[in-house]
Amino acid sequence: MMDVYRGYTRHFLRANAPPDLEAARSNPARYAVRAPWLPRNKGAAVLDVGCGLGHGLLGLWCAGYRNLGGVDLSRDQIQLARRSLPGEIRLTRADMFSFLRGRKRKYDLITCFDVIEHLPHDDVLRLLRLIHASLRGQGCAVVRTGNMASILGPYIRYIDYTHRGGFTEFSLIHVLELAGFQSPRVVPSIRDMRSWRWSAPWRGLNARGFVVRTLHAFIYRLLGVRPMPQAFGHLVTVAAVKK
């Protein structure tokens, strides 16, 4: 299995540049995460599972969170992340399953972005159960993966040779419920005026999201497909609480 990850960072960097720490420091509002699942307490313990180069962690740091940690198995990506993130963010190179087993009820928020599509079915459920056990009583898990309900679903599913499966919001909600989470909810896209520019006035207004939703809704209604998803972008994000 590990053979398919040989040279993976080189493949990953074809489409993903490392985080730009200097730009984030000079304009944190532009890079800060804005989402309904963010803890009100900026001192909340947050872990990013499969943190990769650290883009998600940098967005949380720019939003004012300081009790941040990330875990990833890739030596290359952890090394790049350490060079690209503030030194106060704790990064660990480890197998995420082993790492989580020793951290029960430790975190208030755990994010898992673009990870579960790399895992076999049984390992997806095993990982989500470990995430559930690692959260405190009212903790929240946020999981993002490729959206097979999108017309771009096949492209996202097969863009990476290491991908093992794909999800819609319905299957993602289902597996989170199987793992013990309560009330999983699709995270809607939001307007974010920080990215608005005179040269690109559609940015920040979510005009692209409106067009994508209109196109997909037309196709789903035309074909009579039920139930119709809420999420039509190439990625789907679901947030769920422990209890």
Side-chain angles (χ1 to χ4, degrees), residues 104-226:
K104 291 185 178 180
R105 296 180 294 277
K106 185 175 178 64
Y107 300 102
D108 301 295
L109 170 67
I110 297 179
T111 57
C112 184
F113 295 157
D114 311 321
V115 172
I116 62 172
E117 63 270 22
H118 296 267
L119 303 176
H121 270 60
D122 290 348
D123 282 349
V124 172
L125 186 54
R126 184 161 64 102
L127 174 63
L128 294 178
R129 283 174 172 162
L130 285 169
I131 288 174
H132 184 275
S134 299
L135 287 167
R136 293 169 181 159
Q138 299 299 318
C140 177
V142 184
V143 182
R144 185 182 73 191
T145 187
N147 184 12
M148 299 301 104
S150 167
I151 59 175
L152 294 178
Y155 175 75
I156 298 301
R157 166 64 178 84
Y158 292 104
I159 193 173
D160 192 324
Y161 182 63
T162 67
H163 285 178
R164 303 290 297 273
F167 294 81
T168 68
E169 64 193 63
F170 302 108
S171 56
L172 184 52
I173 287 170
H174 183 202
V175 73
L176 281 163
E177 289 175 336
L178 288 173
F181 286 96
Q182 303 295 314
S183 304
R185 295 285 187 272
V186 175
V187 178
S189 58
I190 61 174
R191 294 185 178 186
D192 187 355
M193 295 305 295
R194 295 168 304 171
S195 60
W196 190 87
R197 300 288 184 276
W198 286 105
S199 58
W202 59 87
R203 290 185 180 175
L205 299 175
N206 199 24
R208 181 181 298 171
F210 173 78
V211 172
V212 168
R213 181 169 185 81
T214 301
L215 172 63
H216 280 80
F218 172 77
I219 294 172
Y220 272 78
R221 290 192 178 101
L222 179 67
L223 298 177
V225 176
R226 294 290 185 275

Side-chain angles (χ1 to χ4, degrees), residues 35-115:
W37 42 263
L38 288 172
R40 292 184 179 180
N41 175 17
K42 293 298 178 73
V46 181
L47 176 70
D48 188 14
V49 173
C51 62
L53 302 180
H55 293 90
L57 288 167
L58 184 59
L60 288 163
W61 184 85
C62 288
Y65 296 90
R66 293 296 181 265
N67 189 3
L68 301 173
V71 59
D72 200 288
L73 184 60
S74 169
R75 178 184 288 107
D76 291 342
Q77 295 206 32
I78 285 291
Q79 287 176 348
L80 284 169
R82 284 189 174 126
R83 294 199 293 266
S84 305
L85 296 177
E88 64 204 74
I89 298 178
R90 299 177 301 279
L91 298 173
T92 304
R93 179 183 175 256
D95 171 77
M96 56 191 174
F97 296 97
S98 300
F99 182 88
L100 289 169
R101 271 195 290 270
R103 287 165 172 80
K104 291 185 178 180
R105 296 180 294 277
K106 185 175 178 64
Y107 300 102
D108 301 295
L109 170 67
I110 297 179
T111 57
C112 184
F113 295 157
D114 311 321
V115 172

